[in-house]
Amino acid sequence: MQFAKDSFYLALRTRLAALNPARGVNVNGVNRTAVLVAENEPAGSFRPLPNAFYINWGSARAVEGFNQGSRPLLSLDCAISYYSTGTCESAVDWGRVLGALDTELLCISHPAFTRKLDFTQSPSADLGTNVFWSPPVVSDLQKAGGDGLFQHMAQLVVYFFPEADLP
Amino acid sequence: MSQSSLRSPMTAVSSRMRAYFAAVDRSAESATIFDPAKHGMFNLEAPPSPWVDLGWIGNFARFCGTTIEVAGAGSPVAPVRQCRSSLTGRVEFDFFEWGKLQMALAGGAQHMNVLDADPNSEAQPSGGTPRAALALLPGSTASELVLGTGAVNSFAVDDLLAVDTDYQQQTGYIGTGLSAAYVRDPQDVLRDVNYVRRVTFNVGRVAGKTASSVLLAQPLLGGAPAPSAAAQKVVAFIDREGGSFFQEWSALFVHQEQSGGRICFYYPRLSPSAPHANDQTGYEREHRVAISSPLGAIALHASFLALPYTDRNDNETVLCYRAYFPAPGAAIY
């Protein structure tokens, strides 16, 4: 399952870097493309940065109708959250930036598949199947913390076949 | 790390299908070949030449009407042999995108370019007498039409153009590069000098201009224009219920490989036909694809009959090919 998560994350990160190289964030002094996985960030003091996509993994299950046999098709709920404080001090353009983030997310979600790779080795190893996902559905505005900020959250489902190699 | 002996996944998953068409040489009845060995896993955004991308399609369905006869022998009679007594294959789908080629294929008969008409011409449902064509000059290509200084000002950026030769009283298939219609008798088309440009597939949109030429947004489907070609402005496209001409094209349909394996259907020769669901009341030429009421996209419904093709590798007569490109690492059986 971790390989599917990693492959999805790296597909989005690579596509965003190509689509909009300027969409980056500085995390602990390191410039990174603005796609991050919440569960991979330091626990405790973690606080999402603006103008960045945070992948949040949800529950996993076997897909009905494809859960028989030795290699079931699994699904994994995924929510991608992001918010903006705008580009100026008054933050009056936060809605425009949020709209731009919406567009970028929808663009990097296509095509809705990528190869599943094992990134624990170098060079990464092809695991023989694809990871694919449903079209993202962007929610209405939601409160983002207690700062009067609003975020968007895109829901989608990631599908994959479990690995033959069990770590 | 332990190694599992599980069979690798073989499920084919796809949410979308893409259609590509290419011309059949009508005079020679020669199809455009899709060679899976050469072109199988091509980039869906950049099909191999001369295939033309007609976009994503929906409601794709293939129908097999091939009949198999069983010969019996003995007492009691028992089946001893089978043979295919007739071959029939059909395919139906909806074009989600509208364009010259999509309309022509969905309509099935000759597809017409409505040429910009002389304001004083008699009204005609497929367009009246058009304004005079402008002859192309040497050096024109499929993407750049050389008209000369001054003449180039007859066309503006964003204009649609039809580019082909004058009709010269010939009979048979007409249209440069692609057969667009069939003329039995010049009198049928009133010996109209513009008739080839009324039906030609060589249409383009002006994307830019130089001092003496226009640059097209997409190259002409039939390739570089003939030396005697001329250009006329097009204002719309028309197809008609009726007509004696039948389009015939080679077709390729590709399921996008979301789970890794690609499935392709190649039809060497497809000709428009009545849909499978045809009944006394007819059928819908366009399908409405709901977006959110009252919004809906209008899809062109297309239905085709597969015509026979002889595979030179074994001399078998076939109607279509189904190709599967397994995902890397996938089990084969």
Side-chain angles (χ1 to χ4, degrees):
Chain A
M1 182 179 297
Q2 190 59 50
F3 298 136
K5 290 180 175 180
D6 293 345
S7 300
F8 176 78
Y9 156 62
L10 280 164
L12 294 197
R13 193 183 77 176
T14 305
R15 293 174 187 182
L16 181 63
L19 178 71
N20 182 5
R23 185 69 71 198
V25 288
N26 189 291
V27 181
N28 294 330
V30 179
N31 290 324
R32 297 166 59 180
T33 302
V35 177
L36 301 101
V37 181
E39 67 184 27
N40 294 349
E41 298 303 310
S45 60
F46 167 68
R47 189 173 190 280
L49 296 168
N51 308 327
F53 299 103
Y54 280 86
I55 297 172
N56 301 276
W57 294 111
S59 59
R61 66 186 72 85
V63 177
E64 192 174 345
F66 294 89
N67 54 359
Q68 306 299 317
S70 58
R71 195 67 72 95
L73 177 63
L74 303 184
S75 69
L76 191 55
D77 290 341
C78 176
I80 302 175
S81 58
Y82 46 99
Y83 73 100
S84 177
T85 54
T87 59
C88 55
E89 194 172 346
S90 65
V92 72
D93 63 345
W94 67 269
R96 290 173 178 269
V97 178
L98 204 55
L101 289 164
D102 290 341
T103 304
E104 289 174 6
L105 178 62
L106 295 173
C107 287
I108 63 176
S109 299
H110 288 280
F113 61 88
T114 189
R115 291 297 288 171
K116 189 168 66 173
L117 303 175
D118 175 2
F119 296 97
T120 63
Q121 51 187 295
S122 183
S124 52
D126 191 317
L127 295 175
T129 58
N130 277 7
V131 178
F132 47 97
W133 52 88
S134 62
V137 178
V138 180
S139 68
D140 292 337
L141 287 174
Q142 302 173 348
K143 289 265 189 181
D147 300 334
L149 299 172
F150 292 93
Q151 69 174 12
H152 270 173
M153 184 169 290
Q155 305 275 358
L156 54 93
V157 181
V158 175
Y159 299 92
F160 62 99
F161 295 98
E163 296 80 26
D165 297 335
L166 302 175
Chain B
M1 181 177 288
S2 63
Q3 186 72 32
S4 167
S5 61
L6 294 180
R7 189 168 66 166
S8 53
M10 301 163 70
T11 307
V13 177
S14 179
S15 61
R16 299 198 292 180
M17 173 167 268
R18 197 132 173 175
Y20 305 88
F21 280 75
V24 168
D25 182 337
R26 302 297 297 271
S27 300
E29 292 196 344
S30 171
T32 296
I33 304 300
F34 171 71
D35 184 339
K38 288 184 176 178
H39 308 125
M41 292 298 287
F42 67 91
N43 178 356
L44 296 185
E45 300 291 337
S49 178
W51 293 95
V52 180
D53 180 5
L54 294 189
W56 300 107
I57 60 173
N59 300 320
F60 180 84
R62 303 194 318 134
F63 301 96
C64 170
T66 298
T67 55
I68 297 178
E69 301 290 339
V70 179
S75 179
V77 175
V80 295
R81 187 172 297 127
Q82 293 190 107
C83 67
R84 292 179 180 83
S85 57
S86 70
L87 289 179
T88 307
R90 296 176 49 263
V91 59
E92 288 183 33
F93 57 88
D94 291 331
F95 284 114
F96 287 157
E97 298 175 359
W98 284 65
K100 165 80 181 172
L101 202 45
Q102 289 91 337
M103 281 185 75
L105 290 161
Q110 61 266 56
H111 187 255
M112 307 197 74
N113 307 311
V114 180
L115 303 177
D116 187 25
D118 183 330
N120 298 319
S121 68
E122 184 182 351
Q124 296 292 340
S126 54
T129 303
R131 298 178 192 273
L134 289 174
L136 301 191
L137 301 178
S140 295
T141 68
S143 300
E144 181 174 5
L145 309 177
V146 181
L147 295 160
T149 307
V152 74
N153 296 327
S154 299
F155 299 124
V157 170
D158 216 31
D159 278 353
L160 295 175
L161 303 183
V163 181
D164 217 314
T165 56
D166 287 350
Y167 178 63
Q168 295 174 319
Q169 319 308 315
Q170 70 267 40
T171 56
Y173 292 107
I174 59 170
T176 301
L178 299 161
S179 297
Y182 188 92
V183 179
R184 289 189 181 84
D185 182 341
Q187 192 54 40
D188 289 345
V189 297
L190 303 177
R191 303 181 185 278
D192 178 7
V193 70
N194 302 301
Y195 187 69
V196 181
R197 287 182 291 274
R198 285 189 189 276
V199 295
T200 185
F201 283 102
N202 294 311
V203 293
R205 184 181 291 280
V206 178
K209 295 169 70 172
T210 69
S212 60
S213 64
V214 296
L215 307 172
L216 301 180
Q218 296 168 289
L220 300 174
L221 278 177
S228 58
Q232 275 169 301
K233 187 177 171 184
V234 173
V235 296
F237 299 123
I238 278 184
D239 63 23
R240 302 173 295 187
E241 193 69 47
S244 57
F245 181 71
F246 278 85
Q247 301 281 346
E248 187 179 323
W249 292 74
S250 300
L252 175 67
F253 305 99
V254 182
H255 277 297
Q256 190 178 39
E257 59 277 18
Q258 282 190 262
S259 63
R262 173 177 288 190
I263 299 170
C264 299
F265 304 106
Y266 165 54
Y267 288 82
R269 298 171 61 206
L270 277 185
S271 184
S273 75
H276 183 67
N278 195 9
D279 57 25
Q280 297 284 329
T281 58
Y283 58 90
E284 292 182 348
R285 277 289 193 185
E286 298 90 25
H287 284 168
R288 184 178 175 82
V289 182
I291 297 174
S292 177
S293 183
L295 295 176
I298 312 302
L300 286 161
H301 187 65
S303 177
F304 298 94
L305 178 70
L307 301 179
Y309 172 78
T310 302
D311 191 319
R312 291 182 188 171
N313 279 342
D314 57 7
N315 214 35
E316 292 280 11
T317 299
V318 299
L319 300 178
C320 60
Y321 295 78
R322 177 170 60 192
Y324 174 56
F325 301 85
I332 304 305
Y333 53 84

